[in-house]
Every structure is written in structure tokens, then in C-alpha cells.
Amino acid sequence: MKQPSLYIPHGGGPCFFMDPSDPDRPHSDPMWHPMQDYLAGLFASLPEKPRALLIVSGHWEEPQFTVHHGGRPSLLFDYYNFPPHTYTLRWDAPGDPQLADRMDALLRKAGFPVAREEERGWDHGVFIPMKVAVPGADIPVVQLSLKQGLDPAAHIAAGRALAPLRDEGVLIIGSGMSFHNMRVRGHDGTGRAVEWDDALTSAVTDPDPQRRAARVAAWDRLPYAQFAHPREEHLLPLMVALGAGADDAARLDHRSAVIGWTVSAYRFG
């Protein structure tokens, strides 16, 4: 069955796994629980179990779109100053080189130069949310990089090129954070974060697909855009998910508040 495409929050560092003493709620701070619950229930909301996952993380950028072709990736612990146990986490999902070849072909057909990579491990934009959503790690994964320059139109076009995979049982996931300003903590930015999120959600859920794409590509004109994203790498996975959503309806899939941020997830199809 045709899968949707998603833009999901991946939290902050290993936020869902900070307290190893509680296997059911392995984070001691309840502010992360709504996001954790959303991720934990994500796959139950799909039309069927995906045959594979295509994930674009805000933590991987390359000069060209790059497809990971490895068969058994390790984990890349690309977060810093967290408890020692968070560097021993396991999530052993396999890669899918055949799907990687298919992605490569679709992107090249759309006119994109594509690079190949086999050694990089899953970064925390992949394994942290997916360890919550797919704890059994029993669905193959292929990761696609962002393209340096972070051009919204290019990432929307890449998503459109990859959209046929949805009809082949592949779930396309953009993993980032809809608000990502590490200098904002507490209530100082709450009002601006909410206004930004309202504007972003209005653009993402515009019922006209062409207007939707144009409004989201012009994200930097929305209220408090640079406040929400001093650098937009955590927003660009949304562009890929939106492009892959094609003309399907878009909806707000989740909204919660953490550390003074308002964070949303979106579903296309």
C-alpha cells in the first residue's frame, strides 16, 4: 500500500534515553514524553508496515545529494557531553543497497548529480527517533544526505523525484526539528516560537500543492523565521518530505512544547 511521507522531530541529543533505570520511560524529564509517545505510536498509524525507510536527517550534509549504500551501518554518536550510557545505545537496523540503487537512479533521472557512501553510521537524527518508533530495528533503512547550500527548491525537487518509492512501500521520513535555536531556553522565546509554528503550519497544510510548496520554500519570510532557525539544516528535511508528498493532502501530525520551543510534525498523504 502507498505510504505517506513524514516530517518528524528527533528531539535533542539522546533525549529519550537519558535514564537507563526506566525501560518504559527512559527519560526523567516529562517534557519529552508527548514527543516520545508520538514517535512510539507512529508506525501503528501507517496503512501497513513499510518495507523500508528512506530517512533524511538534519545531521548529514554533503556537496551533492549522497545516498548511503551500506548493508550494516554502525551508529554515529554525533552528540556531546551526555551520560556515558548514551554512547552504548544499540539500534541495529540493516541498510538496503537495492533501495539505495533505486534512489540513486530516481535522483539522476531528475537531473541531480548523486554521490555514493558506504561507511557512515546512522546519525542521531536517524537512530534516536527510530529507536523509539521501531525498537526492534526490523525495517531496512537508507539515508539520504542534505545538499550543501540548503536550497529549499532543490530539496523539494529531490523529494518529488523520490515520490514513486511511496507506491513501493517505502516510508519517506524527514527528521529534524521545526524549531531549532539552541540559544533559546525557557519562556523567553515561547510567544515567538508559537507564532512561527502557526505560520509554518499554515504554509505546510495549504490545500493547494503548488502554493504550499512555494510558501514553504519561502520559509525565511515567515514571522520569526531566523529566530526559529538561525541555520536551517533542521528544517530542510521538511522540504524533502513535502516534495515526496506531491499533491497529497498535508496535515499537522503532532505538536508539543519542549524547553520553550513549539515543535510540530507533519504528514503528507
Side-chain angles (χ1 to χ4, degrees):
M1 295 179 66
K2 184 177 183 178
Q3 293 289 344
S5 63
L6 305 171
Y7 174 66
I8 65 167
H10 61 233
C15 60
F16 309 119
F17 303 98
M18 293 288 284
D19 182 2
S21 67
D22 184 351
D24 295 319
R25 286 283 196 186
H27 191 285
S28 57
D29 193 330
M31 73 175 177
W32 293 106
H33 289 174
M35 190 182 296
Q36 181 183 358
D37 289 343
Y38 166 69
L39 293 169
L42 194 59
F43 280 68
S45 71
L46 299 176
E48 64 183 13
K49 184 177 179 179
R51 76 166 181 87
L53 309 178
L54 188 173
I55 304 181
V56 184
S57 163
H59 289 277
W60 187 22
E61 299 174 41
E62 296 287 348
Q64 305 293 344
F65 286 115
T66 300
V67 179
H68 183 84
H69 286 254
R72 283 287 172 184
S74 59
L75 299 187
L76 177 60
F77 295 103
D78 55 339
Y79 43 73
Y80 306 96
N81 300 318
F82 285 95
H85 77 270
T86 64
Y87 298 91
T88 62
L89 296 172
R90 295 282 303 272
W91 191 71
D92 299 325
D96 189 335
Q98 185 174 4
L99 174 58
D101 288 341
R102 174 90 168 109
M103 290 165 55
D104 191 296
L106 288 170
L107 289 167
R108 290 183 187 278
K109 184 178 178 181
F112 289 104
V114 184
R116 176 189 181 105
E117 197 280 331
E118 296 184 10
E119 300 300 325
R120 189 179 189 273
W122 306 138
D123 62 59
H124 78 274
V126 175
F127 78 83
I128 289 297
M130 291 300 100
K131 187 172 170 63
V132 176
V134 193
D138 58 346
I139 303 176
V141 177
V142 176
Q143 187 172 0
L144 173 69
S145 77
L146 298 174
K147 183 179 183 295
Q148 289 176 0
L150 304 179
D151 175 46
H155 288 79
I156 291 172
R160 288 192 183 118
L162 295 165
L165 296 174
R166 294 174 53 206
D167 290 306
E168 300 169 19
V170 177
L171 179 65
I172 298 175
I173 300 175
S175 174
M177 292 286 277
S178 62
F179 185 103
H180 192 258
N181 184 342
M182 301 302 292
R183 294 187 291 273
V184 176
R185 293 289 190 275
H187 297 292
D188 292 344
T190 299
R192 288 175 285 177
V194 170
E195 189 168 343
W196 151 258
D197 193 83
D198 287 343
L200 179 65
T201 297
S202 174
V204 171
T205 59
D206 191 313
D208 182 282
Q210 290 186 331
R211 191 171 59 217
R212 174 200 307 163
R215 290 176 67 187
V216 175
W219 70 273
D220 54 348
R221 301 177 197 169
L222 298 177
Y224 301 113
Q226 268 73 38
F227 174 75
H229 290 278
R231 189 174 186 276
E232 62 267 35
E233 78 286 343
H234 275 68
L235 189 64
L236 264 292
L238 168 62
M239 312 298 171
V240 179
L242 182 150
D247 293 341
D248 288 351
R251 79 180 196 212
L252 176 67
D253 216 32
H254 168 78
R255 196 186 206 198
S256 58
V258 292
I259 54 176
W261 305 1
T262 300
V263 180
S264 288
Y266 302 105
R267 180 179 301 232
F268 304 91

